[in-house]
Amino acid sequence: MSTHADAMHAVTGAGLRPAPGRRAAELYERVRRVVPPIEWAVYEPDIEAILRLKEQRNAVVLAHNYQTPEIFNTIADIVGDSLALAREAAQVDADVIVLCGVHFMAETAKLMNPARTVLIPDLRAGCSLAESITGADVRALKARHPGVPVVTYVNTSAEVKAESDICCTSGNAVEVVESLGVERVIFLPDEYLAKNVAAQTDVGIISWQGKCEVHERFTTADIATLRRDHPGITVLAHPECDREVVESADFAGSTAAMARYVAERQPSRVALITECSMSDNVAVANPAVEFVRPCNLCPHMKRITLPKIRRSLETMSHEVTVPAEVAERARLAVERMVAVGRAR
Ligand code: 13P
Ligand code: SF4
């Protein structure tokens, strides 16, 4: 049985958990607070099969914090926010990485560790931010603002990263922007993250009009209703939310930063203004905290299911590759980001 400390470490950072060899039934102990027995009976055969297949294929499963609890807490070896998954992918020495998240995360894993076979269980797991901008758009912006460096959120295609000077995530955006020592940056593609970064730095921000289809739906009225209905509640918001929403929250940060906040402060009642599975996964690690769940589902993250992960390992599909000339430039932008964290 997993310990509470195991689970807490896993959700806040990039926990390495030895799933292979564990019986699925033992793993149920981890998720019984959020997965009813009737659902577990449906999941168990796939979990058993995936644990076996991971050993046969010498594969590791990387899962984002938005994956459903039966994926996140049982078959995943490494979990975390986008930054942790990018960093940890570089360290994997297994033959195969199965990325349970969205396509840009699988591409980033491939960039960070090109010798591994990277699989995504459903190729259609996209992202509204990644789809909001192309490499040609970035070239046009650079032509309009010559000499201004381009900071690109990891929620983009490899083609867009290849046109960028450096990447960032919501966990390190301000640090990355300030690391460049310039007066102005082009910050792509999330308009709301750009506004939230601009509020924390003197560096001028030229933004794009991309939005996360999940976080843009939250409003200040949602937060006012939460506070009215649950006096004293702690509200944490993801910085992909609009500036006014972030301002009306008690804290804003990446998924890992939100999980850390809950783990460290143990608020009696909390609402995470973000994707739905986040609350389930943080709740598993924090049994004393009550979660109020005004969440929105990410349809892309939810394309990843246990049967698709099983099929992915059975058939070694869908392999994610990046053309060499794009990969070389895109990798540089991601590696520069990771180096900023290391320099701290
Ligand atoms: P982080 O996990 O980096 O906070 O990202 C959130 C997100 O929306 C990923 O798609
Ligand atoms: Fe993209 Fe938003 Fe889904 Fe994250 S939650 S993958 S940013 S659409």
Side-chain angles (χ1 to χ4, degrees):
M1 188 178 118
S2 69
T3 64
H4 174 51
D6 277 341
M8 189 165 75
H9 172 64
V11 80
T12 53
L16 252 178
R17 289 168 298 157
R22 293 222 193 213
R23 299 278 309 160
E26 289 173 55
L27 296 170
Y28 184 52
E29 290 303 318
R30 291 182 175 177
V31 289
R32 60 182 323 135
R33 289 185 67 230
V34 291
V35 177
I38 194 162
E39 278 182 29
W40 183 257
V42 176
Y43 299 145
E44 193 166 332
D46 285 326
I47 290 173
E48 293 275 15
I50 292 165
L51 295 179
R52 264 196 316 276
L53 283 158
K54 284 203 303 180
E55 291 193 85
Q56 283 164 18
R57 298 287 195 193
N58 188 23
V60 297
V61 173
L62 271 62
H64 185 261
N65 289 334
Y66 293 162
Q67 290 296 291
T68 47
E70 74 281 3
I71 293 174
F72 186 90
N73 293 285
T74 65
I75 53 111
D77 301 288
I78 298 171
V79 296
D81 66 351
S82 312
L83 181 58
L85 295 183
R87 280 190 184 137
E88 294 293 322
Q91 310 300 324
V92 169
D93 60 5
D95 296 326
V96 179
I97 295 174
V98 183
L99 199 301
C100 296
V102 292
H103 192 264
F104 76 78
M105 294 177 179
E107 272 192 341
T108 305
K110 184 69 184 174
L111 294 175
M112 296 305 282
N113 203 336
R116 312 294 158 219
T117 300
V118 176
L119 304 177
I120 188 161
D122 189 327
L123 265 180
R124 297 166 304 169
C127 170
S128 64
L129 281 169
E131 275 140 36
S132 73
I133 190 160
T134 64
D137 293 327
V138 187
R139 287 192 292 277
L141 273 166
K142 288 196 287 192
R144 213 175 310 145
H145 304 282
V148 179
V150 178
V151 178
T152 292
Y153 196 27
V154 285
N155 297 37
T156 46
S157 65
E159 184 208 5
V160 165
K161 291 184 176 76
E163 298 295 339
S164 310
D165 294 284
I166 188 166
C167 285
C168 73
T169 71
S170 57
N172 62 12
V174 175
E175 193 182 5
V176 166
V177 163
E178 296 193 336
S179 75
L180 299 173
V182 294
E183 283 178 9
R184 275 194 324 161
V185 299
I186 300 170
F187 188 96
L188 308 171
D190 187 343
E191 186 181 338
Y192 291 164
L193 181 62
K195 273 198 217 165
N196 288 316
V197 169
Q200 296 173 68
T201 181
D202 292 333
V203 178
I205 304 280
I206 300 163
S207 62
W208 185 248
Q209 64 276 18
K211 290 186 187 68
C212 162
E213 68 187 81
V214 176
H215 292 96
E216 73 170 335
R217 301 215 300 273
F218 293 108
T219 64
T220 49
D222 295 336
I223 297 190
T225 306
L226 265 175
R227 293 203 191 276
R228 187 199 62 208
D229 294 348
H230 306 279
I233 194 166
T234 300
V235 179
L236 312 185
H238 195 279
E240 287 172 9
C241 295
D242 196 0
R243 179 78 200 134
E244 289 69 36
V245 172
V246 164
E247 278 177 330
S248 60
D250 298 299
F251 172 81
S254 73
T255 56
M258 286 193 268
R260 226 173 5 249
Y261 184 104
V262 174
E264 287 170 8
R265 304 205 189 189
Q266 295 287 300
S268 53
R269 195 183 272 168
V270 72
L272 305 182
I273 305 300
T274 191
E275 210 275 339
C276 300
S277 293
M278 184 68 193
S279 288
D280 287 335
N281 294 330
V282 182
V284 164
N286 297 278
V289 178
E290 184 193 336
F291 288 79
V292 179
R293 299 164 193 248
C295 62
N296 288 322
L297 273 175
C298 174
H300 311 289
M301 288 282 178
K302 264 52 218 182
R303 284 193 185 276
I304 309 300
T305 60
L306 286 170
K308 288 183 195 167
I309 298 166
R310 177 178 183 170
R311 181 139 187 79
S312 175
L313 279 162
E314 282 167 350
T315 61
M316 293 297 284
S317 62
H318 304 273
E319 187 171 355
V320 174
T321 56
V322 182
E325 72 285 2
V326 173
E328 213 170 293
R329 291 180 295 136
R331 184 176 305 120
L332 259 182
V334 182
E335 283 176 352
R336 284 190 190 122
M337 165 185 85
V338 171
V340 168
R342 262 194 241 113
R344 251 181 298 148

